[in-house]
Amino acid sequence: MIIKNAFGTTADGRAVDCYTIKNSNETEVDILTYGATVNRIYVADKNGEFADVLAGFDTIDGHENHSDYEGMTVGRYANRIANGKFSIDGVEYNVEKNEKGITCLHGGAELSTTLWKAMIVDDNSLEMAYTSPDGAMGFPGKVEFKVLFTLHEDNALKIEYFAVSDKKTVINMTNHAYFNLAGKGDVLNHELMINADAYTPIDENSIPTGEIRKVEGTAFDFRQSKKIGRDITADDEQIRIGRGYDHNFCLNEGDGPAAVAYEPESGRVLEVYTDLCGVQLYTGNFLDGTIIGKGGNPLIQHAGFCLETQYYPNTPNMPEFPQCTVDAGEKFYTCTVFKFSVK
Ligand code: BGC
């Protein structure tokens, strides 16, 4: 079942809608037209008690004025492009430098602040569509984006990204949900597994240095499930730069989950499946309690963790990374599944 409700109005007078997808387990997923944002995931714990497992905002004002991309669809290029610059076939493109005036972060202020056009596909699928004009944020190509959100009966939220450009361009799409499986507090006690033997260390501007570093023997080794908080303050240069985890993991190939999170008190489990090569683990390091989130509660440091499935950061400038360039007319497609259960 899908229900549509009004969610408020942006400062410039645009009316935002919220679509709730509900399955027969009473699991609910709210999706806003603003930013094609997954705004709430309401799911049972091991005792059948429901809670919202996403940190973020319950007002449009929160999203507009204090956003750290909570739940948003981000693109055209999720994560960072160094110096807001890259070339395709010898032509240089300068894109919005929305981070410290140096770096392009999450494609600039377009996709996540626009109103997407919603279409109910069936009882459990909602499509969000947006056409980005050629040159938007400096990127080449008019791109037709579609994101299909499907809530399955097994409590799996499948997010499929479709895009077609009329010029050769780069595309990297993700969702920026901040999960908190307890529905409260911080996430340091969550246990996390990431199926990655290596990660991409970053420089002081959070740009990959180009090294693919083995996780073995470092704070970045999540191959065996461990508490997010265990090594988050480890004496490690990379942890210092990120103020915790804010890094891309190079996913191992295979059919199993890319990541699994477990919160012992609620018993909630989140499995993440993706066809992408990377995932950014961001542990809300820069949240500091000064911003008020859902229910009037401050968004404290580590209030949520993000598992942003993606091409590696700065790929357009890194020929040695798996590439995300699409030709004119080529169909871009990627899929990520967030599956909830209890144990
Ligand atoms: C980035 C963080 C950033 C956050 C919110 C993450 O994807 O890696 O550095 O603070 O998004 O913008």
Side-chain angles (χ1 to χ4, degrees), residues 2 4 19 21 31 33 116-129 146-149:
I2 299 187
K4 175 183 166 184
Y19 288 81
I21 315 179
I31 299 161
T33 49
W116 292 62
K117 195 171 179 308
M119 189 180 81
I120 295 173
V121 177
D122 59 33
D123 268 4
N124 57 1
S125 291
L126 180 78
E127 180 193 277
M128 288 289 189
K146 279 184 186 157
V147 185
L148 186 64
F149 299 90

Side-chain angles (χ1 to χ4, degrees), residues 69-253:
Y69 302 91
E70 282 83 354
M72 287 174 166
T73 293
V74 296
R76 292 182 183 192
Y77 194 87
N79 215 301
R80 293 177 171 85
I81 297 178
N83 305 310
K85 206 183 266 191
F86 60 92
S87 297
I88 299 176
D89 297 338
V91 179
E92 187 178 281
Y93 296 96
N94 287 280
V95 293
E96 198 186 55
K97 296 178 188 175
N98 58 337
E99 191 181 42
K100 300 185 229 156
I102 305 174
T103 304
C104 180
L105 176 64
H106 298 323
E110 188 196 9
L111 265 58
S112 51
T113 60
T114 202
L115 289 195
W116 292 62
K117 195 171 179 308
M119 189 180 81
I120 295 173
V121 177
D122 59 33
D123 268 4
N124 57 1
S125 291
L126 180 78
E127 180 193 277
M128 288 289 189
Y130 171 67
T131 300
S132 172
D134 183 17
M137 302 292 114
F139 288 91
K142 171 179 151 194
V143 184
E144 288 173 27
F145 290 101
K146 279 184 186 157
V147 185
L148 186 64
F149 299 90
T150 306
L151 177 62
H152 289 276
E153 289 302 318
D154 62 356
N155 287 348
L157 173 65
K158 185 177 191 180
I159 308 182
E160 291 168 280
Y161 302 87
F162 303 82
V164 183
S165 173
D166 66 357
K167 283 189 186 150
K168 195 169 181 181
T169 193
V170 293
I171 301 179
N172 191 15
M173 299 295 293
T174 195
N175 181 276
H176 209 297
Y178 289 70
F179 296 101
N180 182 326
L181 300 178
K184 57 177 193 270
D186 67 43
V187 295
L188 298 179
N189 264 330
H190 284 54
E191 289 167 22
L192 180 66
M193 185 286 291
I194 303 177
N195 183 22
D197 292 340
Y199 77 107
T200 49
I202 50 177
D203 67 14
E204 298 286 341
N205 290 325
S206 296
I207 302 295
T209 59
E211 181 188 349
I212 306 285
R213 188 180 291 173
K214 293 271 182 224
V215 295
E216 191 169 6
T218 75
F220 294 83
D221 193 346
F222 281 95
R223 291 172 301 170
Q224 301 290 326
S225 192
K226 68 173 178 185
K227 282 199 166 32
I228 290 177
R230 196 184 88 175
D231 299 325
I232 201 168
T233 54
D235 182 14
D236 180 305
E237 176 72 355
Q238 286 297 312
I239 291 282
R240 183 192 64 73
I241 296 176
R243 289 208 229 163
Y245 298 105
D246 190 3
H247 293 79
N248 170 67
F249 287 74
C250 309
L251 293 171
N252 297 334
E253 281 180 24

